[in-house]
Amino acid sequence: LIYEPKGVCALITPWNWPISQVALKVIPAIAAGCTMVLKPSEIAPLDSMIFAEMLEEAGCPAGVFNLVNGDGAGVGSQLTSHPDIDMISFTGSTRAGALVSHNAAEDFKRVGLELGGKGANIIFADADVEAAAKSAPLAVFDNSGQDCCARSRILVQENIYDEVLAHIE
């Protein structure tokens, strides 16, 4: 195996959990030896601007990390279709993810999409049933439901269904 950087990565983050989303994209790209252009959500850019200052103060070489601000339709579409971008990592809506994929298809860019699948709570009989049941509503409504891993349904092993239902508030 030969490990080598993918190249220039476009990193596009959503408004929710802004510093976490930025770190989850930038740190692996740096570790892999890639240069990058980060476009944060236009409604939550400040964390990214502070992150950029931190990287500069830490001695990150010029050009390794680049920050552009703007909206998805303008800056995002230009970034995802730019011929010098080799890979795109996008977290956001399914609608925007489809547009990113379409733009990337022009020159076969590698694309990583995290489109917020809305998973399930799964509770088996060997779980702490009371704790699992009581945490289930928070798992969907935390951050007003604007969470990539918000769990919007509960799957319960049949023989503990009534017990789970009794603990849900």
Side-chain angles (χ1 to χ4, degrees), residues 19-42:
I19 195 65
S20 173
Q21 291 289 332
V22 169
L24 288 170
K25 292 183 185 299
V26 171
I27 293 169
I30 288 175
C34 296
T35 57
M36 71 216 68
V37 180
L38 171 70
K39 191 212 90 57
S41 167
E42 62 273 18

Side-chain angles (χ1 to χ4, degrees), residues 72-91:
V75 175
S77 62
Q78 292 297 311
L79 186 59
T80 57
S81 60
H82 196 283
D84 289 336
I85 296 294
D86 300 300
M87 181 184 176
I88 302 165
S89 175
F90 173 81
T91 301

Side-chain angles (χ1 to χ4, degrees), residues 6 8-12 25 76 79-82 85-90 100-101 103-105 109-113:
K6 179 61 182 154
V8 181
C9 299
L11 311 175
I12 302 174
K25 292 183 185 299
L79 186 59
T80 57
S81 60
H82 196 283
I85 296 294
D86 300 300
M87 181 184 176
I88 302 165
S89 175
F90 173 81
V100 166
S101 294
N103 288 345
K109 297 178 192 328
R110 180 176 290 169
V111 178
L113 301 173

